[in-house]
Amino acid sequence: MPDAGGAMRIAIVGAGMAGMSCGQRLSRLGHEVRLFDKGRGPGGRMATRRMEDGGTTLHFDHGAQYFTARDPRFVEQVAHWEAAGVAARWAAAGDDAWVGTPAMNAPLKAMAGELGVQFGTRIEQLVRDGEGWQIDGEGAPDARFDAVLVAVPAEQAGPLLQPHAPAMATLADQTASDPCWTLMAGFEAPLALVQDTLRQRGPIGWAARNNAKPGRANEECWVIQASPEWSRAHLEDYAETVAAALLAELAEANGGPLPRQLGATAHRWRFARSGTAGEEALWDAEQRIGVCGDWLIGPRVEAAYMSGLLLAEAVGGR
């Protein structure tokens, strides 16, 4: 049970932007928060990938490419990140576009530094323990929590929520994400393309010169993301087939053959761009179970942040 002062011990499953935002706010409200994530480090949909080639390290933001800030509370947070040197504007993507620096996951790393985050932990089920909760899965601690919050993509949230909050689970199950094949390719010389981004060209939904973003290294690195429609149609294709198709389209946009590749790899995001459930955050105060995520509000980094913040305020008071 919560202590006499109302402080709770809270487990958050998922340490992407929504989980981090929720945990940060709850911690500042005086609650004891622990976050658990199956990944090896901060990232989620703001993940950054490194690739080695002959002693050269290539860097790719292979998830979210940039974010915008419109809600005053998120604008304030982004201003703090900018002051801390972990976010900067990127005009190539738009006047209101921001990126993490020196990599897209930098804001998440900064938030993780304030919180107790246990990575490499795959939570498989939530267990009701009297009036409290336990979490079960690979690496999960033998600990009891007053509340449990789920901050993972809708497709992963549904099975966790179903035994205890079927209405929440049904909403998650009905809110499907779009897939995305993403190709990361490094080159020994700059492409002839003058612009740093491409949009809606053949199978390519978005492509960006990663090294054009603030704070990046100089090696010519491109992130090429297939459109949702093309990704869905080719979801089970071999990575090599996908890479060839996306590189062919990039070469056509380049006006000729591409420079020699330093390395290339294709990554299949099954749950890349979230759906929109039309909610902000969900909280069952009687059972003390809740859910947050971009899939509730919309497929934007800001939506994930706001959903986590709003759930924290519903759980712990403003």
Side-chain angles (χ1 to χ4, degrees):
M1 292 292 289
D3 64 28
M8 290 189 287
R9 192 180 196 202
I10 301 172
I12 299 178
V13 181
M17 181 56 75
M20 291 281 199
S21 170
C22 188
Q24 178 179 264
R25 182 66 176 139
L26 284 169
S27 180
R28 291 175 180 176
L29 288 169
H31 300 282
E32 181 185 344
V33 180
R34 291 184 66 182
L35 290 89
F36 303 91
D37 195 279
K38 67 180 181 179
R40 291 177 293 179
R45 288 189 174 115
M46 295 175 73
T48 299
R49 178 78 66 88
R50 290 184 298 179
M51 190 188 309
E52 299 293 332
D53 182 85
T56 299
T57 302
L58 309 175
H59 297 84
F60 304 89
D61 297 325
H62 76 301
Q65 294 295 293
Y66 64 91
F67 58 88
T68 56
R70 292 158 190 168
D71 186 282
R73 289 166 290 183
F74 190 53
V75 169
E76 181 180 3
Q77 176 63 76
V78 172
H80 288 306
W81 289 336
E82 182 182 28
V86 297
R89 292 186 182 274
W90 185 38
D95 293 339
D96 60 347
W98 294 82
V99 297
T101 53
M104 201 64 191
N105 63 358
L108 286 171
K109 285 187 173 182
M111 296 171 85
E114 300 180 24
L115 300 166
V117 186
Q118 183 175 317
F119 291 104
T121 307
R122 184 181 294 273
I123 303 305
E124 297 172 353
Q125 64 175 334
L126 311 177
V127 180
R128 187 75 169 156
D129 178 20
E131 295 186 6
W133 293 92
Q134 289 188 327
I135 54 176
D136 183 42
E138 183 180 349
D142 182 11
R144 189 169 179 276
F145 299 91
D146 299 308
V148 62
L149 309 177
V150 175
V152 296
E155 290 81 358
Q156 298 166 7
L160 289 173
L161 294 165
Q162 183 61 50
H164 311 287
M168 294 183 189
T170 297
L171 185 63
D173 292 341
Q174 293 173 344
T175 311
S177 301
D178 284 328
C180 180
W181 268 110
T182 296
L183 176 66
M184 294 156 278
F187 302 94
E188 68 175 359
L191 272 62
L193 275 169
V194 174
Q195 65 267 39
D196 292 325
T197 65
L198 292 173
R199 301 173 190 255
Q200 304 303 322
R201 184 185 172 99
I204 296 176
W206 162 272
R209 180 179 275 120
N210 203 85
N211 49 299
K213 296 179 180 179
R216 272 56 175 181
N218 294 324
E219 287 76 18
E220 183 79 352
C221 295
W222 279 80
V223 175
I224 305 105
Q225 295 181 329
S227 69
E229 298 77 18
W230 193 92
S231 295
R232 190 175 296 109
H234 297 270
L235 191 60
E236 304 304 332
D237 285 5
Y238 289 113
E240 295 80 5
T241 303
V242 170
L246 295 178
L247 284 170
E249 189 64 40
L250 184 65
E252 185 172 324
N254 191 53
L258 299 170
R260 187 180 72 86
Q261 290 178 36
L262 299 179
T265 185
H267 177 84
R268 177 172 46 204
W269 291 92
R270 291 191 180 274
F271 313 130
R273 181 179 173 86
S274 77
T276 303
E279 300 285 348
E280 293 181 334
L282 304 175
W283 170 238
D284 181 336
E286 183 177 351
Q287 292 196 88
R288 295 195 298 278
I289 183 172
V291 60
C292 61
D294 53 359
W295 62 269
L296 288 162
I297 300 177
R300 294 176 292 118
V301 171
E302 178 175 12
Y305 178 90
M306 291 305 302
S307 181
L309 179 69
L310 293 167
L311 177 58
E313 293 181 344
V315 172
R318 295 180 182 273

